[in-house]
Amino acid sequence: MFPPIPNPDLKAATKFGEKDLIRRSASRVAEPAQKLTPMAKLIDVSKCIGCKACQSACLEWNDLREPVGFNDGTYNNPPDLTPTSLTVMKFTEWVNPETRNLEWLIRKDGCMHCADPGCLKACPAPGAIVQYSNGIVDFVHENCIGCGYCVKGCPFNIPRISKADSKAYKCTLCSDRVSVGQGPACAKACPTQAIVFGTKDEMKQWADGRIKDLKSRGYKNAGLYDPPGVGGTHVMYVLHHADQPEIYAGLPRDPRISPLVEIWKGVAKYAGLAVMGAFAVFGVLHHAVMGPNRVTREDESAAKQLTETQS
């Protein structure tokens, strides 16, 4: 068993602030004088029993209530992430082609907290998305303009736009709990320790032990899902079949930020600024050489005659 996270010292309660930021959407931040230790959540799908305690704990801690929905013939409830369901258990029945056995693959879906977050890169609203130095990516809803670009920028299709207030929502990795020394509510509620939380180094070491155990039991392709295409993530999975992540309810094999986002916020941004600068310089030179535009007496006379004719 992974050592449980102790209850925090309430006297030392603090919140993450400006000093802890390493990225802020559509703006720059100064390099923090002291960085926090990178943290991570590890989800071991081989230990998940699909009880949805994590899903319920997320709703309770964030004081969210999902409207009564409908049954789509699966155990997924709701069928997908929503602005009020920040994490959702997804169930997949998969027939192993080697053993012909039916395997029930259960994956907890939610924000992956990428080291290089596509949502933050795509966001045009200053300060609407921030990343703390411990790796957590958080939304600042009062700054969100509801444009939905964060959805387009996310290679995992995670943020959802609320129809109630036109703001974007996703898992915060319980940043308010983590800032006072607690783990995420989902990890606290998990009865099998399929979800554990700690420093990223600790989570990788714990994953190594789990992978060795799975391989000893015949899962030769067991491995850690920490995709390098987004710089790694602060939510990682231990998978029985790490060579086929897509069988776990469409987990991307090699997620990357869309080239359109990279171009829009990279080359296109600086090219646009260069064009604006060129027009500004041209305007100044034109004024210096040609002088200001002036109305001739002939133009004034013609305008006066036209006004008198129309009246």
Side-chain angles (χ1 to χ4, degrees):
M1 295 286 284
F2 190 80
I5 298 173
N7 290 325
D9 178 4
L10 297 180
K11 294 180 181 177
T14 57
K15 290 186 177 180
F16 296 139
E18 294 286 323
K19 67 182 187 310
D20 301 312
L21 296 181
I22 55 171
R23 289 191 180 93
R24 186 195 337 239
S25 58
S27 50
R28 295 179 181 276
V29 295
E31 187 73 14
Q34 186 173 359
K35 292 186 177 180
L36 301 167
T37 303
M39 305 299 289
K41 179 166 64 180
L42 180 68
I43 303 170
D44 184 349
V45 300
S46 69
K47 297 180 71 175
C48 180
I49 58 175
C51 66
K52 300 190 181 183
C54 56
Q55 200 170 313
S56 299
C58 179
L59 291 169
E60 287 297 318
W61 180 256
N62 293 290
D63 195 20
L64 298 170
R65 296 294 179 270
E66 183 69 26
V68 176
F70 60 92
N71 189 308
D72 66 349
T74 71
Y75 285 99
N76 304 339
N77 181 24
D80 199 4
L81 298 170
T82 73
T84 51
S85 284
L86 309 182
T87 188
V88 169
M89 301 304 296
K90 294 192 172 179
F91 298 76
T92 303
E93 292 180 347
W94 179 71
V95 177
N96 190 323
E98 295 182 359
T99 63
R100 306 306 300 169
N101 289 333
L102 177 66
E103 296 185 19
W104 205 10
L105 308 177
I106 309 170
R107 177 170 72 85
K108 176 181 173 300
D109 196 14
C111 178
M112 299 294 288
H113 294 270
C114 306
D116 185 16
C119 59
L120 192 151
K121 273 192 172 178
C123 178
I129 304 178
V130 298
Q131 184 177 34
Y132 302 114
S133 57
N134 62 2
I136 293 178
V137 180
D138 209 351
F139 280 11
V140 182
H141 292 112
E142 55 265 35
N143 296 333
C144 177
I145 58 176
C147 64
Y149 285 5
C150 57
V151 182
K152 301 295 182 185
C154 176
F156 296 96
N157 185 32
I158 297 299
R160 295 291 185 270
I161 306 297
S162 170
K163 292 182 180 178
D165 61 4
S166 297
K167 306 286 186 182
Y169 290 88
K170 72 167 190 67
C171 158
T172 65
L173 204 55
C174 287
S175 59
D176 51 348
R177 292 174 59 92
V178 175
S179 68
V180 295
Q182 292 187 311
C186 57
K188 194 76 173 178
C190 181
T192 64
Q193 280 210 325
I195 306 172
V196 291
F197 183 77
T199 69
K200 186 157 184 177
D201 287 341
E202 286 175 339
M203 294 300 96
K204 285 187 171 180
Q205 291 176 9
W206 185 251
D208 285 343
R210 292 294 308 140
I211 292 165
K212 288 176 182 174
D213 177 63
L214 287 170
K215 288 187 174 180
S216 71
R217 291 192 282 132
Y219 294 102
K220 61 182 180 182
N221 293 317
L224 179 67
Y225 185 81
D226 182 22
V230 291
T233 55
H234 292 270
V235 173
M236 303 182 292
Y237 291 102
V238 170
L239 303 176
H240 323 67
H241 311 286
D243 58 326
Q244 305 177 77
E246 61 277 4
I247 65 176
Y248 296 87
L251 192 61
R253 177 182 287 270
D254 185 20
R256 294 180 181 277
I257 299 174
S258 167
L260 294 176
V261 173
E262 297 282 9
I263 293 172
W264 176 47
K265 301 300 285 287
V267 175
K269 176 182 176 181
Y270 294 107
L273 291 174
V275 171
M276 291 172 62
F279 273 107
V281 171
F282 176 78
V284 171
L285 292 176
H286 182 274
H287 183 274
V289 174
M290 304 299 293
N293 289 331
R294 297 183 185 282
V295 180
T296 63
R297 290 184 177 180
E298 290 76 10
D299 290 338
E300 287 185 350
S301 177
K304 184 178 181 182
Q305 291 179 2
L306 181 61
T307 304
E308 291 175 349
T309 301
Q310 291 179 343
S311 62

